Amino acid sequence: QLQLMESGGGSVQTGGSLRLSCNASYVSGSYTMTWFRQAPGLEREGVAAIDDDGATIYADSVKGRFTISQENMNTKNTLYLDMDVLKPEDTGRYYCAARFPRLRAEWAFSANEYVFWGQGTPVTVSS
């Protein structure tokens, strides 16, 4: 059973930056790991995804501002989301999710395709 745990959320002002982390037990083979977010009253939406081969995809709303990356060590994987030039509309709870095997790019932001989820970390951007 893969366990995911996010950290790094917080409160910042517009234009600020945050780095989110998601710790996971070691994963190998074909996979997709993705950051989702959910604002109050809205559906969960995909933000950024990365495959085992390093391919990335971003939602249009965060392109040029967010960067997804991963660090694979012998016993664990860590997923990161560097968020710059934050806007109030980036406010929400951010979740990391994992899927085996990797998803086709067009499905990367389909929440129903993911089995493993973390508990989320809150991000608040004030104007």
Side-chain angles (χ1 to χ4, degrees):
Q1 183 79 6
L2 178 64
Q3 292 188 329
L4 305 173
M5 182 173 295
E6 305 92 337
S7 61
S11 297
V12 297
Q13 292 187 327
T14 297
S17 299
L18 282 173
R19 175 178 243 204
L20 305 184
S21 299
C22 175
N23 290 323
S25 52
Y26 182 69
V27 295
S28 62
S30 174
Y31 62 83
T32 296
M33 295 189 75
T34 300
W35 286 100
F36 287 83
R37 67 185 179 191
Q38 188 167 19
L42 298 179
E43 292 186 356
R44 195 168 295 191
E45 62 174 352
V47 174
I50 189 166
D51 289 341
D52 55 281
D53 61 1
T56 59
I57 185 171
Y58 295 91
D60 289 342
S61 59
V62 305
K63 282 181 181 177
R65 300 188 298 120
F66 290 13
T67 303
I68 189 171
S69 61
Q70 61 186 342
E71 183 179 58
N72 298 332
M73 305 295 288
N74 290 332
T75 59
K76 68 174 184 179
N77 286 53
T78 305
L79 186 69
Y80 299 103
L81 186 67
D82 289 294
M83 306 186 295
D84 297 315
V85 196
L86 282 161
K87 305 176 181 180
E89 50 264 45
D90 295 319
T91 294
R93 193 168 187 87
Y94 283 69
Y95 301 85
C96 68
R99 156 67 189 240
F100 308 90
R102 94 166 65 96
L103 285 164
R104 293 167 60 92
E106 55 264 41
W107 296 105
F109 291 157
S110 297
N112 290 337
E113 296 289 339
Y114 290 82
V115 176
F116 302 103
W117 290 87
Q119 294 299 307
T121 185
V123 172
T124 303
V125 185
S126 58
S127 56

